[in-house]
Amino acid sequence: MSTYRAGVIGLGRMGSTFDDEITQGGSLFLPYCHGPSYAASPKTELVAGADLHEEQASIFGERWGLDSDHIYSDYREMLENENLDLVSVCTTARVRSTIVQNIARAGVKGIWAEKPISLSLAEADEMVKVCKENGTVLAINCARRWNPFFSEARKLIDEDEIGNVLQVTVYAQCGLSHNGSHAIDILRYMAGGNVEWVFGEMQSDEAAEGESDLMGNGYLVFDNGVRGYLRSTACGVASWEVDVIGTSGRIRSINNAEKFELIRSVPGGRRGRGVPATCPFPYPVRMQGMGLTIVDDIINSIENGGSPKCSGDDGLEALEVAIALRESHRRGGVRVNLPIKDRSQRILSSEIHGDDTPARVRRMRSG
């Protein structure tokens, strides 16, 4: 088995140390973030990293056993010197599009990029286009698609265990671009289709007029007949829940994927119309670190063709849905069809605030 040479651009939390913050069980299975996953996978060798900030670069090198010759301040030098097969992009979204395009043009086989895919639709379009032109697999880290429980839920749907999907509802208090990319993507994954048009309601008229990463609610119509509802304004005790309703069953994910319910209709009830009964959810037999699952998926796409579970197209669609929901509110609550014609539209993801200095570096310098 060949080993893939891997490098990381952006050596902060998601590039290296996010896993250290996970101190108890839940729905995240380690290794989860980029550097630890490459270091743990038998299919990859973590050989290099790049970061503009010396503090983060030195911590990354020491943590993963890389000497200074393989730690770069300029990612383009890393691409030129290291003969990389896989590259992660864990930088601010402000520069993500340019970096992804340069990686693809450098001949790298696979890219694992953080979400959101970019700030604007035009940037995302170009990322997807350049990766396809250069034969580079692009995966966007809307990681719930690789969660073993959601994978099992999707398998149940595909095997007709809940009948035809009628509706998917997602409750997730967050901005529509940054963590909203997770919410919109898992809604699309459970619905199993593409969004044709939306209605949207934003947190305020003022917020909808700007480009900030606003909260909002929406109604999504899919090409396969499924209807979707998204609530990213305040959700109370229901935050980060996913509810999939089928003609003969239901799947619910509760408390940010920490609990799953499978409900089926059984004989009985008034006039014999059936009674909803809670059944054991078929938990996966084996659960490996989600980062390892993502790496495996990217490598499988490289070697056998096809796309990873959350591709560049999926990342683009999540951003486009978010912008369409805002556009609906801007126009007075009208239906907005996809694709959006004005590709210059954008949302300034909340994670770019103060991105001239990464959050971890700010904390290091202050304390």
Side-chain angles (χ1 to χ4, degrees):
M1 181 180 68
S2 59
T3 301
Y4 287 75
R5 292 173 57 83
V8 179
I9 302 171
L11 308 180
R13 291 176 70 242
M14 286 308 299
S16 182
T17 60
F18 179 82
D19 290 11
D20 298 340
E21 302 172 21
I22 309 302
T23 57
Q24 62 183 21
S27 60
L28 297 182
F29 301 96
L30 307 183
Y32 177 75
C33 68
H34 300 250
S37 298
Y38 290 135
S41 172
K43 300 178 182 179
T44 59
E45 180 185 5
L46 180 60
V47 298
D51 198 298
L52 292 171
H53 304 279
E54 185 177 348
E55 296 100 320
Q56 292 198 147
S58 61
I59 291 172
F60 185 88
E62 182 178 350
R63 177 69 175 273
W64 305 112
L66 302 177
D67 63 44
S68 60
D69 291 341
H70 299 287
I71 301 295
Y72 299 83
S73 60
D74 188 334
Y75 74 90
R76 290 163 296 191
E77 291 184 18
M78 182 181 77
L79 294 176
E80 184 176 345
N81 295 339
E82 295 289 349
N83 190 30
L84 297 171
D85 302 300
L86 303 175
V87 175
S88 282
V89 183
C90 307
T91 64
T92 168
R94 194 187 301 276
V95 295
R96 192 166 296 143
S97 178
T98 298
I99 293 174
V100 164
Q101 292 175 57
N102 287 339
I103 294 169
R105 293 187 178 109
V108 171
K109 297 175 182 177
I111 300 171
W112 177 12
E114 271 305 312
K115 53 76 193 163
I117 186 172
S118 62
L119 301 184
S120 75
L121 295 175
E123 290 174 343
D125 288 339
E126 197 64 18
M127 293 165 73
V128 172
K129 174 176 173 286
V130 169
C131 285
K132 289 180 178 178
E133 288 175 346
N134 288 275
T136 302
V137 171
L138 174 59
I140 304 299
N141 199 35
C142 293
R144 283 165 176 77
R145 286 202 186 219
W146 290 283
N147 178 287
F149 301 142
F150 279 118
S151 295
E152 194 66 35
R154 185 63 247 179
K155 181 181 177 184
L156 290 171
I157 294 169
D158 291 339
E159 293 176 349
D160 202 32
E161 292 291 336
I162 64 169
N164 296 326
V165 175
L166 301 172
Q167 176 178 309
V168 181
T169 304
V170 173
Y171 304 93
Q173 183 175 341
C174 57
L176 287 172
S177 175
H178 181 38
N179 282 325
S181 59
H182 283 305
I184 293 169
D185 185 70
I186 199 60
L187 197 161
R188 290 184 64 246
Y189 184 49
M190 292 292 100
N194 293 310
V195 180
E196 289 189 329
W197 57 269
V198 306
F199 286 119
E201 173 213 9
M202 299 299 98
Q203 63 193 64
S204 69
D205 293 342
E206 181 181 9
E209 286 304 313
E211 294 183 322
S212 63
D213 198 353
L214 71 176
M215 295 184 291
N217 307 317
Y219 174 73
L220 287 66
V221 173
F222 287 83
D223 57 4
N224 59 0
V226 176
R227 298 302 189 257
Y229 291 87
L230 171 69
R231 181 181 179 92
S232 87
T233 55
C235 299
V237 298
S239 190
W240 287 104
E241 292 194 0
V242 179
D243 190 1
V244 184
I245 298 175
T247 53
S248 60
R250 183 178 190 176
I251 298 171
R252 291 183 67 209
S253 167
I254 303 168
N255 193 26
N256 204 3
E258 291 192 359
K259 179 182 179 182
F260 276 72
E261 294 180 346
L262 173 61
I263 299 169
R264 290 193 177 100
S265 179
V266 298
R270 183 178 298 176
R271 298 180 181 177
R273 293 175 179 172
V275 177
T278 301
C279 307
F281 186 86
Y283 286 97
V285 176
R286 293 183 179 87
M287 291 183 286
Q288 69 174 0
M290 287 167 60
L292 297 180
T293 303
I294 295 172
V295 169
D296 287 347
D297 191 19
I298 295 171
I299 291 175
N300 180 65
S301 298
I302 292 170
E303 295 180 348
N304 300 305
S307 299
K309 273 190 172 182
C310 188
S311 66
D313 288 311
D314 293 312
L316 168 57
E317 181 89 359
L319 177 62
E320 189 156 15
V321 168
I323 290 174
L325 292 172
R326 184 190 65 190
E327 188 66 12
S328 174
H329 185 112
R330 283 181 175 180
R331 298 181 193 175
V334 302
R335 162 178 167 167
V336 172
N337 296 323
L338 274 65
I340 294 172
K341 292 181 179 179
D342 181 4
R343 309 306 286 181
S344 68
Q345 291 203 53
R346 63 181 189 168
I347 294 178
L348 301 180
S349 172
S350 59
E351 54 96 9
I352 72 171
H353 296 160
D355 61 0
D356 53 331
T357 304
R360 189 177 71 178
V361 173
R362 292 198 299 269
R363 290 194 296 268
M364 289 169 57
R365 291 175 179 175
S366 65

